[in-house]
């Protein structure tokens, strides 16, 4: 059988977009049209860089440790959500990055990797948060990365390149995003911004409540009005390091806590809201082949899914989309005794934490001790020697992308937990997509990333603002 070509895919995508558009005028045809305007709220949850194995391993870890499935798999098990696969390719690559991926949802067009809502012909497309704002709805972005990072920015900003974090922070303010929580002090603080602007003060002037710690957030006026919460320089900590570091636990909220507060705040708007929630460090952990970082951050994301569904599940006016923007490093648990997988439950810190405490001069016993402290694994001398070689940039794997210290650390741990990786980069897999609520009936079993923009704007009845 002939496989459809890429061009056919795009044609089909364009055709269904056309049908959706004309269906509005013809008042009939597809379910999305009958539902037009009945969706008051949208919650869009993204586990960044989540391969299929990540979803499975987080679920298996929870079942074996806590005797319960993950929220995501439970929703599938109970038939509460609809399951689809999604093609996330960008305008210029089979394998997208987070910027092009978020922009495909955020403006309904494929852009080149790295770009945010500017198509290859230079056209600036209005992102979905300003569209919803113009329709009188509240808007919010919550993430475990810098708040200016590619995925949240794809819902609200227009820049040539995702690295323009300072511009993105200013655009959030200018575009009146109502609720912002994440990391990224380095892009808000006057001493760290290149232009010296004090964006905290500018937000206060614009009526925002500004929080810099979890206490300030939880004890302040964050349940109503505009809110900016920035808790760290750079990204928020990995969950596994977060929960085992008292100071971080005290100062940084979890993704579930931020999601809960965002929903309580934004749902005050009688016209409804759109909220993007990102578990952003699942991707970072996958890039660095960090099994503890990966699975505990996926579980933290899953907790946020539970919070979103606790709000939406009993209502008929909220569309929930749960997905990822691309696979990453495609980890999986290989055939081995189940107890080897269970050993991940004993990890105290991520491999990012392990590596941060070592350098190319670290001794073999130092490497062994730090790995044992963080994971419980007593590694032999020869493995520590390979790690030291990699830390010095002298290790040569057959697949050259596995030369790095992070890849070697991941493989050392794989000898014990048997979770291994195919590389350290994004992958082109069609991704998991779960949807719930009004509008989800318009999402087919296999969709192109750009179709979700149409689904959301049609369902919420905001097409005239797009
Ligand atoms: Zn990435």
């Amino acid at each position: 059988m002939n496989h459809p070509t890429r061009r056919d895919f795009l044609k089909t995508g364009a055709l269904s977009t056309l049908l959706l558009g004309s269906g509005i005028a013809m008042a009939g045809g597809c379910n999305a049209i009958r539902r037009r305007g009945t969706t008051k709220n949208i919650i869009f949850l993204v586990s960044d860089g989540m391969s299929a194995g990540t979803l499975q391993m987080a679920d298996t870890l929870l079942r074996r440790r806590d005797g319960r499935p993950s929220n995501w798999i439970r929703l599938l098990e109970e038939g509460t959500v609809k399951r689809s696969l999604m093609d996330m390719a960008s305008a210029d690559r089979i394998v997208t990055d987070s910027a092009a991926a978020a922009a495909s949802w955020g403006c309904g067009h494929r852009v080149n990797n790295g770009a945010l809502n500017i198509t290859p012909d230079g056209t600036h497309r209005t992102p979905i948060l300003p569209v919803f704002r113009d329709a009188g709805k509240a808007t919010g972005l919550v993430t475990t990365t810098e708040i200016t990072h590619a995925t949240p920015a794809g819902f609200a900003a227009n820049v040539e390149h995702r690295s323009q974090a300072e511009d993105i922070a200013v655009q959030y303010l200018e575009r009146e995003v109502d609720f912002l929580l994440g990391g990224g002090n380095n892009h808000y603080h006057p001493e760290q911004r290149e232009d010296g602007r004090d964006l905290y003060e500018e937000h206060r002037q614009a009526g925002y409540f500004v929080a810099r710690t979890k206490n300030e957030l939880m004890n302040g006026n964050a349940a109503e009005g505009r809110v900016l919460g920035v808790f760290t320089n750079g990204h928020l900590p990995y969950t596994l390091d977060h929960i085992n570091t008292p100071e971080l636990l005290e100062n940084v909220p979890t993704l579930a806590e931020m999601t809960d507060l965002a929903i309580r705040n934004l749902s005050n708007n009688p016209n409804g809201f759109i909220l993007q929630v990102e578990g952003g460090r699942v991707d970072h952990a996958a890039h660095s082949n960090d099994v503890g970082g990966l699975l505990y951050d996926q579980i933290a994301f899953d907790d946020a899914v539970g919070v979103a569904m606790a709000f939406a599940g009993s209502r008929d006016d909220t569309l929930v989309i749960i997905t990822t923007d691309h696979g990453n490093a495609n980890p999986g648990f290989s055939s081995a005794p189940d107890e080897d997988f269970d050993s991940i439950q004993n990890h105290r810190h991520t491999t990012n934490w392990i590596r941060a405490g070592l350098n190319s001069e670290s001794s073999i016993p130092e490497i062994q001790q730090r790995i044992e402290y963080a994971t419980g694994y007593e590694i032999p001398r020869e493995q520590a020697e390979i790690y030291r070689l990699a830390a010095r940039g002298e290790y040569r794997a057959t697949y050259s992308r596995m030369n790095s210290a992070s890849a070697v650390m991941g493989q050392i741990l794989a000898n014990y937990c048997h979770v291994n990786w195919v590389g350290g980069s994004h992958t082109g897999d069609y991704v998991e997509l779960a949807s719930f609520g009004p509008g989800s009936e318009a999402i087919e079993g296999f969709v192109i990333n750009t179709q979700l923009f149409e689904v959301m704007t049609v369902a919420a009845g905001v097409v005239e603002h797009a």
Side-chain angles (χ1 to χ4, degrees), residues 28 53-54 58 107 116 167 191 195 205 221 228 245 251 277 283 299 308-309 320 335 364 367 456-457:
T54 306
C107 74
L116 285 164
D167 299 332
E191 284 167 20
D195 61 10
Q205 297 289 332
N221 284 327
L228 170 68
T245 310
N251 288 319
V277 175
D283 180 63
I299 290 168
M309 286 303 295
V320 180
S335 182
I364 298 302
I367 295 169
M456 292 187 283
T457 51

Side-chain angles (χ1 to χ4, degrees), residues 36-78:
R36 181 175 188 263
T38 58
T39 304
K40 182 179 177 188
N41 314 306
I42 295 178
I43 306 174
F44 198 116
L45 299 115
V46 184
S47 172
D48 199 294
M50 186 201 76
S51 296
T54 306
L55 181 64
Q56 173 266 316
M57 288 189 289
D59 180 70
T60 300
L61 193 158
L62 287 170
R63 285 179 195 262
R64 293 181 64 82
R65 188 189 71 183
D66 300 344
R68 68 164 181 98
S70 65
N71 289 309
W72 189 329
I73 297 298
R74 178 180 51 79
L75 291 165
L76 288 167
E77 210 170 17
E78 294 173 350

Side-chain angles (χ1 to χ4, degrees), residues 267-300:
S267 60
N268 289 324
N269 185 315
N271 298 321
F273 66 86
I274 183 167
L275 168 66
Q276 183 270 170
V277 175
E278 186 201 20
R281 306 219 67 196
V282 172
D283 180 63
H284 299 166
H287 277 297
S288 51
N289 294 183
D290 182 341
V291 65
L294 183 86
L295 296 187
Y296 289 95
D297 268 54
Q298 178 64 25
I299 290 168

